[in-house]
């Protein structure tokens, strides 16, 4: 399903008084996108024109109160730029939002048309943040004055790219790395990824929030990056000879994408385990068509502790794209038809994506009217998101695998299944990304990402910067357990069966089945 972008209804602008600079605070938070009109005033050719945008609008009728914002559960750790991966959205509509008062701002307009266009975009972005940003103090600064200051700084510019940099600098003062703007070209690439088809090299990139360094999270199976032996944790330091210092992950991903049949050269740095020594290597990667399927599955034959031969259904979910829930339903139906008795859901290194996809997947495993997640808005209001008369596809025992690469929507799903008593969590502590972003396409084709809420698990556990601690850790030490049924002849088993965390998961499933209960 293609993401539905927020579009305003036919709204009538408030009247603006020229040169007025009085800023009125909104009476409450409307949810519709902002639009503005511009009045140009020139006394002579030697005078610079002025632009007076009306950043707040009043609808013509009560029926036009309803607006729509795109929400996504962030793309995992920091900014996930996908060289060949998807980031996805979920549409959430507001319910009769109250309206803000009108205001008028005066500032000098650039003579350069492309910069003038970005100035208009800034007003849109500023208004959206003013309404919805999770911190109503805007990081303890005067957000209205910030608009005036940035507009003045934009005036002498002649390049749209530099003007966008000014907006990015203004957004950075909010102290939230997930609130950002991307250019129209970057946004087109971002949307292409939501279809699951890209032309690129198959790398998932993670910009570490603390250092800003771009590191490899994972590679798409069978992609050029995977074939070249690029692996998780390597730092990406150059693309085609250009240093990446200060570049965000989406911009880096844009440089990696390109037409199939072309090539890109990357330089990577890896840290060796012993002594902290590092090595640098350069790799030339061909670009190809990358088909991203969020689901992979297999049936693992398993001999239980009592000697019975059983079947364990293994499902790996790599990202929460638009097709994730439907693909998972198909996989489960197929395995149920083959008499699978238990399941392992692998969310390791899943950076997130669509919040809605995470909730839809949770409902595949749950019954009734369970709470899936709780959201908290910037006024501190908590709202549960509940199922309605849910019917699980299977009640077989379930173990969910998580690790430090499981973030955002992965944590929502893991929390929903765990807190509702449906699954045991095995692995390592999750990343701890508990914020939700909206994304709105602006009038010039760029897109604004704004952190609008945070979430808690159904049991009201705070996830942001905390993460979820699994019920059972899986480490290599556990392979030395005296319990022989955990040890297998690795010469005759698949790579899945040799995975220590999957072995531990099978052990937990054995315990559940021996008790005669299903989670």
């Amino acid at each position: 399903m293609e993401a539905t972008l927020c579009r305003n209804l036919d709204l009538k602008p408030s009247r603006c008084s020229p040169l007025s600079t009085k800023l009125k605070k909104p009476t409450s938070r409307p949810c519709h996108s902002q639009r503005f009109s511009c009045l140009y005033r020139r006394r002579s050719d030697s005078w610079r024109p002025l632009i007076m945008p009306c950043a707040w609008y009043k609808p013509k009728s009560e029926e036009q109160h309803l607006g729509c914002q795109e929400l996504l559960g962030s793309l995992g750790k920091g900014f996930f730029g996908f060289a060949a991966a998807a980031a996805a959205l979920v549409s959430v509509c507001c319910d009769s939002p109250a309206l803000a008062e009108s205001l008028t701002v005066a500032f000098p307009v650039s003579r350069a048309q492309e910069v003038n266009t970005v100035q208009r975009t800034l007003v849109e972005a500023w208004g959206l943040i003013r309404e919805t940003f999770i911190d109503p103090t805007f990081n303890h600064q005067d957000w209205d004055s910030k608009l005036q200051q940035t507009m003045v700084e934009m005036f002498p510019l002649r390049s749209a790219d530099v003007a966008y940099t000014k907006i990015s600098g203004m957004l950075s003062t909010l102290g939230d790395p997930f609130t950002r703007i991307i250019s129209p070209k970057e946004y087109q690439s971002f949307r292409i990824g939501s279809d699951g088809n890209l032309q690129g090299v198959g790398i998932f990139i993670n910009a570490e929030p603390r250092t800003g360094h771009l590191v490899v999270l994972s590679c798409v199976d069978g992609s050029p990056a995977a074939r070249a032996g690029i692996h998780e944790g390597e730092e990406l330091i150059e693309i085609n000879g250009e240093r990446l210092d200060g570049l965000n992950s989406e911009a880096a991903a844009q440089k990696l994408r390109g037409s199939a049949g072309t090539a890109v050269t990357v330089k990577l740095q890896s840290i060796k385990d012993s002594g902290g020594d590092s090595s640098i290597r350069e790799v030339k990667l061909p670009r190809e068509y990358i088909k991203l399927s969020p689901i992979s599955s297999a049936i693992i034959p398993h001999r239980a502790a009592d000697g019975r031969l059983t079947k364990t259904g293994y499902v790996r979910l790599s990202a929460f794209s638009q097709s994730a829930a439907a693909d998972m339903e198909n996989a489960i139906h197929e395995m149920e038809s083959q008499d699978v008795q238990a399941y392992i859901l692998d969310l390791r290194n899943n950076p997130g994506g669509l919040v809605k996809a995470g909730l839809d997947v949770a409902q595949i495993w749950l019954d009734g009217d369970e709470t899936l997640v709780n959201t908290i808005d910037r006024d501190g209001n908590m709202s549960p998101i509940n199922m309605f008369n849910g019917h699980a596809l299977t009640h077989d025992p379930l173990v969910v695998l998580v690790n430090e690469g499981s973030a955002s929507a992965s944590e929502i799903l893991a929390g929903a299944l765990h807190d509702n008593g449906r699954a045991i969590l095995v692995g390592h502590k999750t990343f701890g990304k508990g914020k939700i972003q909206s994304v709105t396409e602006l009038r010039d084709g760029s897109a604004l990402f704004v952190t609008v809420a945070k979430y808690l698990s159904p049991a009201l556990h705070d996830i942001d910067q905390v993460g979820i601690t699994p019920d059972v850790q899986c480490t290599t030490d556990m392979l030395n357990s005296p319990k022989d049924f955990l040890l297998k002849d690795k010469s005759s088993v698949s790579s899945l069966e040799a995975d220590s965390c999957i072995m531990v998961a099978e052990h937990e499933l054995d315990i559940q089945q021996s008790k005669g209960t299903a989670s």
Side-chain angles (χ1 to χ4, degrees):
M1 179 186 68
E2 186 65 30
T4 304
L5 296 176
C6 185
R7 298 289 189 188
N8 259 355
L9 300 172
D10 182 17
L11 303 179
K12 182 178 180 180
S14 309
R15 297 180 63 183
C16 291
S17 302
L19 302 180
S20 170
T21 58
K22 183 177 182 181
L23 303 176
K24 298 181 181 179
K25 298 293 184 182
T27 56
S28 60
R29 293 189 295 112
C31 193
H32 54 267
S33 298
Q34 305 311 304
R35 294 171 31 172
F36 62 97
S37 60
C38 299
L39 303 174
Y40 296 87
R41 184 180 184 190
R42 299 181 65 180
R43 297 186 179 180
S44 69
D45 288 340
S46 61
W47 280 60
R48 294 171 179 172
L50 295 172
I51 178 171
M52 280 70 73
C54 296
W56 308 99
Y57 285 73
K58 295 182 179 179
K60 293 179 179 178
S61 65
E62 189 68 26
E63 288 74 18
Q64 294 176 349
H65 284 186
L66 194 62
C68 185
Q69 289 252 0
E70 306 277 6
L71 296 184
L72 68 153
S74 175
L75 303 173
K77 306 183 201 175
F79 309 141
F80 280 120
F82 295 104
L89 310 170
V90 56
S91 296
V92 177
C93 286
C94 302
D95 196 11
S96 297
L99 298 176
E101 297 178 15
S102 63
L103 63 90
T104 304
V105 181
F107 50 82
V109 66
S110 171
R111 291 179 182 272
Q113 182 57 47
E114 60 180 288
V115 175
N116 181 279
T117 298
V118 180
Q119 284 185 307
R120 296 166 182 249
T121 297
L122 170 57
V123 175
E124 280 189 275
W126 166 82
L128 283 167
I129 290 168
R130 194 171 188 261
E131 289 184 52
T132 63
F133 184 57
I134 191 169
D135 175 11
T137 73
F138 309 105
N139 200 21
H140 305 286
Q141 63 179 333
D142 187 334
W143 189 240
D144 298 336
S145 297
K146 204 72 182 177
L147 172 65
Q148 299 270 10
Q149 174 188 336
T150 307
M151 281 295 181
V152 171
E153 292 174 358
M154 273 190 183
F155 175 76
L157 303 179
R158 292 294 178 265
S159 163
D161 289 340
V162 178
Y164 276 115
T165 300
K166 286 290 183 185
I167 298 180
S168 296
M170 174 176 154
L171 299 183
S172 69
T173 66
L174 293 169
D176 173 41
F178 305 107
T179 296
R180 72 194 197 278
I181 192 169
I182 59 175
S183 69
K185 185 176 181 180
E186 290 172 326
Y187 184 50
Q188 286 304 310
S189 297
F190 183 90
R191 293 186 65 191
I192 289 170
S194 68
D195 294 333
N197 292 283
L198 284 176
Q199 297 178 60
V201 297
I203 300 178
F204 289 75
I205 307 170
N206 166 30
E208 292 289 352
R210 287 170 294 184
T211 65
H213 295 170
L214 299 175
V215 299
V216 175
L217 177 67
S218 62
C219 298
V220 178
D221 292 341
S223 67
R227 297 197 303 268
I230 295 174
H231 56 81
E232 176 187 354
E234 287 190 277
E235 182 182 342
L236 190 63
I237 56 178
E238 283 187 11
I239 299 176
N240 285 336
E242 180 182 345
R243 294 283 301 182
L244 303 180
D245 301 331
L247 205 66
N248 68 43
S249 54
E250 181 57 34
Q254 176 65 31
K255 293 179 181 296
L256 291 169
R257 300 183 188 113
S259 301
T262 61
V264 60
T265 300
V266 299
K267 187 174 288 188
L268 302 127
Q269 180 173 0
S270 60
I271 306 297
K272 297 179 180 178
D273 293 335
S274 57
D277 295 332
S278 63
S279 62
I280 295 177
R281 63 182 177 126
E282 189 171 274
V283 183
K284 186 174 183 179
L285 301 171
R287 294 186 177 104
E288 299 175 358
Y289 285 97
I290 307 294
K291 175 61 178 177
L292 297 170
S293 176
I295 295 286
S296 58
S297 61
I299 294 178
I300 305 174
H302 172 62
R303 191 166 297 281
D306 61 4
R308 291 180 301 108
L309 186 62
T310 63
K311 295 179 180 178
T312 300
Y314 170 83
V315 184
R316 182 189 177 199
L317 179 58
S318 60
F320 290 88
S321 64
Q322 294 171 5
S323 66
D327 290 350
M328 180 164 289
E329 279 195 41
N330 293 335
I332 293 173
H333 280 306
E334 175 64 25
M335 287 188 282
E336 285 289 294
S337 70
Q338 299 183 50
D339 299 322
V340 164
Q341 288 96 27
Y343 287 89
I344 297 172
L345 173 57
D346 194 345
L347 299 179
R348 290 176 296 179
N349 294 325
N350 181 327
L354 284 168
V355 171
K356 183 178 184 298
L359 301 179
D360 288 345
V361 170
Q363 294 182 75
I364 292 173
W365 302 94
L366 292 168
D367 287 318
D369 303 321
E370 305 285 9
T371 296
L372 300 177
V373 71
N374 297 286
T375 64
I376 301 178
D377 65 19
R378 72 175 184 176
D379 298 321
N381 300 315
M382 186 170 71
S383 302
I385 297 177
N386 297 328
M387 295 174 54
F388 176 73
N389 195 25
H391 297 282
L393 294 184
T394 176
H395 296 92
D396 291 333
L398 173 65
V399 167
V400 176
L401 300 181
V402 294
N403 68 358
E404 58 280 353
S406 306
S408 190
S410 288
E411 294 170 295
I412 289 178
L413 175 57
L417 297 178
H418 178 268
D419 289 2
N420 286 300
R422 181 63 180 91
I424 290 175
L425 302 186
V426 169
H428 301 277
K429 187 176 181 180
T430 62
F431 179 74
K433 174 63 180 66
K435 291 187 174 75
I436 298 175
Q437 281 72 48
S438 73
V439 59
T440 304
E441 182 179 8
L442 304 179
R443 290 176 59 133
D444 69 343
S446 61
L448 179 70
F449 297 73
V450 184
T451 296
V452 295
K454 65 181 294 186
Y455 59 81
L456 304 179
S457 75
L460 303 182
H461 295 141
D462 197 348
I463 295 172
D464 194 48
Q465 299 183 17
V466 177
I468 298 174
T469 300
D471 300 296
V472 182
Q473 299 279 333
C474 59
T475 66
T476 54
D477 294 340
M478 302 189 86
L479 296 180
N480 298 321
S481 166
K483 299 174 182 176
D484 293 336
F485 57 85
L486 280 177
L487 301 176
K488 300 186 177 183
D489 178 6
K490 294 185 180 179
S491 64
S492 62
V493 297
S494 68
S495 58
L496 283 179
E497 293 174 297
D499 185 314
S500 64
C501 288
I502 290 179
M503 291 182 184
V504 173
E506 289 178 328
H507 174 43
E508 293 300 321
L509 291 171
D510 281 344
I511 294 174
Q512 291 185 52
Q513 290 174 313
S514 68
K515 293 178 179 178
T517 59
S519 297

